[in-house]
Amino acid sequence: GVRKGTGERSLVFNGHYDVVPPGAGWNTDPFNPTVINGKIVGRGTADMKGAFASMLIAIKAIRVSRISLKGNMVFTAVPDEEIGGHLGSGYLVKSGLVQGNACIIGEPSRVDTIDIAQKGALWLELVTLGRSAHGSMPHLGVNAVEKMASIIMALQELKKKYMEVKSRIPFPEAVRHVTFNIGGVIQGGSKINVVPDRCSCTLDVRVIPELTTANVERDIRKLLEDLSAKDPELRYEIRVIDRIEPAYTPEDEPIVKTIHGVIRDVLGVEPKYGGMSGFTDMRWFKEIMPTVIYGPGDISQAHAPNESVSIEELVVASKVYALTTMRYLGYYSD
């Protein structure tokens, strides 16, 4: 939806209405929102239908207050962020259906924090190729699982080196560096008494904004080449499953300065800057406009059982969205 004003500047609000499956461990019906101790409990409350409610209330507040915006307020709701956003935000951006000067994505950041960055991701599949033989005569074969084990050990050493390089963005301290998840899916062998001739292992690397996925891929390929030079029996393949570049919006961007001042006025505290360790639809919008993540709730609630969002935070977020829109676009009263 678009609320048109008289000026050329446009502010885009974005959110996704798809959710992940509820999983086990719920004390209430995950798809029947329940108010408990000032919080709404249900799947998607924090990630991120709470922000939708706050955005819609902000739009309504501007409308019923008889305020005319000088610019355009654009509201986009997409259905597939949880599976990559290719047909939602990705399509909107690539097809030119959405344009603007800045974007606010309502993923849960906590209401006193503006997420100005998110990590990128490099997803790889590594495959080692061996030669099968009878399990009682392993010397006649080449064990692809053992070859993969040597690669995994080397990757662990590379992981330690990357842990020493901290981002300037205040991501959660435990992940303020490039992280490796080795073996999210690992497969090898066919039978207990057969030397495995193939082993595959996935690698999920999350990349800080100071680097690119190409930087990390180059280091991994160099690692594999070095191992291969030392072991002539090591045969491997590497496949890029996906790559998402990191995103960063500088603190001096007008949208960041505007929302920073609004949060300070609404909450009476100095807002914090943060970064998302996962990736969101910021991956798409940052290609065409400065983008920030700001929304009610805590990211720790996302995808968790008994997911919840504070009603008080929903109200705060509504105020921040409405005032940010007015200050960023300009307005006059009817």
Side-chain angles (χ1 to χ4, degrees), residues 42-54:
R43 172 54 83 228
T45 49
D47 184 18
M48 54 153 281
K49 295 181 180 181
F52 267 145
S54 296

Side-chain angles (χ1 to χ4, degrees), residues 9-13 101-105 109 111-118 168-170 247-265 269-275 282 286 289-294 320-321 323-325 327-329:
R9 189 181 250 193
S10 294
L11 175 60
V12 178
F13 284 87
N101 300 94
C103 177
I104 299 173
I105 296 177
S109 65
V111 290
D112 64 347
T113 303
I114 313 161
D115 284 339
I116 56 172
Q118 70 177 24
R168 64 170 288 274
I169 306 296
Y248 166 61
T249 301
E251 292 90 325
D252 61 358
E253 278 287 348
I255 186 59
V256 180
K257 292 196 290 188
T258 301
I259 199 168
H260 187 278
V262 168
I263 295 169
R264 187 174 54 217
D265 291 346
V269 299
E270 192 65 19
K272 293 179 254 184
Y273 293 116
M282 186 181 190
K286 59 100 171 177
M289 68 185 84
T291 301
V292 297
I293 296 169
Y294 178 80
V320 172
Y321 291 148
L323 290 172
T324 298
T325 300
R327 291 185 188 177
Y328 185 78
L329 297 178

